């Protein structure tokens, strides 16, 4: 667990790499911190892997757009890892406007014995060089270097909310409120616009794109969600501009639940393909839903994340919490889903047993080897001693960003400016 107390340190994204050995976080100050899992020690086989800081670097700086008189925040909106091809690691990070490809590599040797330079690196007078030396590599303390390899800029008028690496590992997409662009990793000065929902007259704008993701195995397929609570599945083989979707997922509204807030709370804040590629999970303000790609008219599963907030929507609207964007994640086998809530609570739903649990990420629970106790929220009536009343929930403590290790029961939970890593206890 890493703790800090500063506005710039608020964690804005969390992402495991494909092996789970590394975990990256981005924050409001434009920094990326990478944690590495320690190797198993010989004498303590069960003490597999604490995560320790491996590399920290400044990914984005604050900028100013003079043409529009707009400040461009340095806050990291998303991080996505590329699968590892060699000894170095590569990741994409984005703020509102610019995506960067970073290379993270290790150096533990340095060359010594240059011919044209002295040991301080100054050029020598060629007249004084009388012998030819063979440079040698000497061991040095391990250094982890992060270098920007590509900068993909100037393609988004609106704020970037998603990036997603394609399964062909040659392309990726970036999505903003009205457009989705397809990039080749090698080409920084142009991208293909694959979705454009901007109306000719902006006064007719009725919805925005909220999230987008590529299918995990089919490089031609992607989904994007909207503020109207709908999901569109697109096929790039059908046409170059995917303005006509292949499938359209929408649940008819229950008229008995209709209220002033219906439209706001139906906006989808996150969309994620299952690892198998058969399902998509979406998160709106009150629920997480699982959709089968073969069934467009309603989700196959709906999970109530914090239904007790239904009666509190008025005050959540007044304090702007109703616009919070919660993310959702699958576990490695697609059997459990996880998403955050308020009061530093996060929720897990087991799709097979239909059991769910509420856990809390807090300093009290973060002692090493501490067991997390399930929490319960009570609405009105008598409160049991271990329950917490809905009226005493802290709405400033919210868990928007979570991540799940790709193959093990290890989760990372960002609670404002603290990162918590929990793992299943080893029997």
């Amino acid at each position: 667990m890493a703790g800090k107390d500063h506005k710039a340190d608020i964690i804005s994204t969390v992402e495991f790499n494909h092996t789970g050995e590394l975990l990256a976080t981005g924050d409001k100050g434009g920094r990326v911190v990478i944690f590495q899992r320690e190797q198993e020690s010989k004498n303590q086989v069960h003490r597999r892997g604490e995560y320790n800081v491996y590399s920290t670097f400044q990914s984005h700086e604050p900028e100013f757009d003079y043409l529009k008189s707009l400040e461009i925040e340095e806050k990291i909106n998303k991080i996505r890892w590329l699968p590892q091809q060699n000894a170095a690691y590569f990741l994409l990070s984005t703020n509102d406007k610019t995506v960067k490809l970073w290379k993270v590599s290790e150096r533990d040797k340095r060359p010594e014995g240059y011919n044209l330079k002295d040991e301080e690196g100054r050029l020598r007078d060629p007249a004084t060089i009388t012998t030819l030396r063979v440079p040698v590599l000497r061991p040095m303390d391990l250094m982890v270097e992060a270098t920007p390899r590509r900068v993909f800029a100037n393609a988004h008028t609106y704020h970037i909310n998603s990036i997603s690496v394609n399964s062909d590992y040659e392309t990726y997409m970036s999505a903003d409120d009205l457009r989705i662009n397809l990039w080749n990793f090698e080409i920084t000065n142009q991208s293909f616009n694959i979705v454009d929902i901007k109306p000719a007259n902006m006064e007719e704008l009725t919805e925005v794109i909220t999230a987008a993701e590529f299918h995990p195995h089919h490089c031609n397929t992607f989904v994007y969600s909207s503020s109207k609570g709908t999901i569109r599945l697109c096929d790039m083989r059908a046409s170059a501009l995917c303005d006509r979707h292949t499938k359209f997922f929408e649940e008819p509204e229950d008229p008995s639940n209709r209220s002033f807030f219906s439209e706001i709370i139906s906006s989808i804040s996150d969309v994620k393909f299952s690892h198998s590629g058969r399902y998509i999970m979406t998160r709106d303000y009150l629920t997480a839903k699982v959709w089968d790609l073969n069934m467009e008219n309603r989700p196959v599963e709906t999970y109530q994340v914090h239904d007790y907030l239904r009666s509190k929507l008025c005050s959540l609207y007044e304090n702007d919490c109703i616009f919070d964007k919660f993310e959702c994640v699958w576990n490695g086998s697609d059997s459990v889903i996880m998403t955050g809530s308020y009061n530093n609570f996060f929720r897990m739903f087991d799709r097979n047993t239909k059991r769910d649990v509420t856990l809390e990420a807090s300093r009290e629970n973060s002692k090493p080897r501490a067991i997390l106790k399930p929490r319960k929220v009570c609405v009105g009536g008598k409160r049991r001693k271990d329950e917490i009343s809905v009226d005493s929930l802290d709405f400033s403590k919210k868990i928007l960003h979570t991540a799940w290790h790709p193959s093990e029961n290890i989760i990372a939970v960002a609670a404002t400016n603290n990162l918590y890593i929990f793992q299943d206890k080893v029997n």
Side-chain angles (χ1 to χ4, degrees), residues 16 20-21 23 35-37 49-53 405 410 421:
F16 280 101
E21 290 303 298
L23 171 68
F35 299 87
Q36 183 183 43
R37 196 175 182 191
E50 306 284 314
Y51 282 82
N52 292 320
V53 174
H405 188 290
I410 299 175
I421 296 171

Side-chain angles (χ1 to χ4, degrees), residues 225-237:
S225 58
S226 89
S227 55
K228 277 196 160 171
T230 62
I231 310 112
R232 288 172 177 83
L233 180 84
C234 301
D235 186 341
M236 291 191 289
R237 292 173 305 189

